[in-house]
Amino acid sequence: MTNPMGVLVSITRTTSRVLLAVGAATVVPALAAGCSSGPGGAPDQPAITAHGSAVGAAPTTVPTLRTLGAPAFGSPSSTPTGPPIPTGAALRDLLPTAATLPAGWTVQGNGNQTDTGTYVVDDPVAPTLPQEPCTQMRLAGTVLSQDFKASGAMNEVYDGENRVQVYLAAYHPGDAAKLLGEIRAYTERCKSFTGKGIDGRPVPLTVTQQPVPGLGDEALDMKKVPQGPYHTEEIVVTRVGDRLLFLSGDDILGRLPNFMQLATPLSKSIR
């Protein structure tokens, strides 16, 4: 969406990494109810950084993903039902902590924890994701969660190498399913496009999506993969009723995080 919340933080872990103007390395959220420009007027132009050789082996316990078919998803409810929509402050209490994380995962400090406060948006703004340019795609919950959002909370967790952004958002009845449908359509529309590096050279990218059977009510795994030695982004989006859990990260250090280690237990704890 235009001017998503957050600013870019360039990653300079090695001198061989090249910053490009496509994708997003790291997003630092402001977590307002709607979209806004980042702190300091930072533009929403994303960035890709090249990664080096693999660092360590990737965890092996990952559920099998099947190729994308045409999974059905819910439609909005005309009459609100169920419990009240939680505030951002209430959602914050459902975020992972050092005590609830799987073995090998930690929270550093407060995990950059933040939320939308003690209110719920009664009349969310009109959706913008259907018009979002492919070249502005960022696989981060702070960005993809915005359409229809009533409240949200975020923190970051760490597996010893990789950081994963954990974003939990709540929606009015039916809107979480509607947004997941938007994200599917966005991925399909942008499954192949060309970005531009800061040196002006074109960077072809491929975006894939796969449903994740058995995770929440429905779940989607997305990857944005550039040609060349640049980092891949991944996000796993899980719907549990009228809540969406977004887990996102990249392979800037040579491997992608094991998102399923987090997604499986967290999808049960956010109900």
Side-chain angles (χ1 to χ4, degrees), residues 84-95 115-120 151-153 168 243:
I85 298 172
T87 66
L91 292 175
R92 184 179 61 197
D93 293 336
L94 300 178
L95 295 174
D115 61 72
T116 54
T118 57
Y119 63 91
V120 169
S151 59
L168 178 59
R243 301 177 187 182

Side-chain angles (χ1 to χ4, degrees), residues 77-133:
S77 171
S78 58
T79 304
T81 59
I85 298 172
T87 66
L91 292 175
R92 184 179 61 197
D93 293 336
L94 300 178
L95 295 174
T97 65
T100 61
L101 282 168
W105 291 84
T106 61
V107 177
Q108 295 187 333
N110 72 346
N112 292 323
Q113 190 176 85
T114 186
D115 61 72
T116 54
T118 57
Y119 63 91
V120 169
V121 178
D122 291 328
D123 187 18
V125 297
T128 60
L129 192 59
Q131 291 80 42
E132 180 71 359

Side-chain angles (χ1 to χ4, degrees), residues 5 29-33 91 95-96 114-116 140-146 149 151-156 164-171 235-238 244-248 266 270:
M5 297 182 306
L31 286 188
L91 292 175
L95 295 174
T114 186
D115 61 72
T116 54
T142 46
V143 177
L144 295 181
S145 66
Q146 298 305 310
K149 188 179 72 176
S151 59
M154 181 226 115
N155 72 349
E156 295 176 346
V164 171
Q165 182 192 92
V166 180
Y167 195 98
L168 178 59
Y171 300 83
I235 189 167
V236 175
V237 187
T238 305
L244 288 175
L245 173 67
F246 300 82
L247 303 176
S248 58
L266 288 180
I270 65 171

Side-chain angles (χ1 to χ4, degrees), residues 187-214:
T187 306
E188 180 64 23
R189 173 167 60 89
C190 298
K191 59 186 177 181
S192 179
F193 67 94
T194 299
K196 183 181 292 185
I198 58 174
D199 57 1
R201 295 182 180 180
V203 180
L205 294 104
T206 299
V207 181
T208 62
Q209 60 177 321
Q210 294 178 307
V212 188

Side-chain angles (χ1 to χ4, degrees), residues 10-37:
S10 62
I11 298 177
T12 56
R13 293 190 178 98
T14 73
T15 57
S16 63
R17 291 174 174 81
V18 180
L19 189 64
L20 299 182
V22 183
T26 304
V27 176
V28 180
L31 286 188
C35 296
S36 63
S37 60

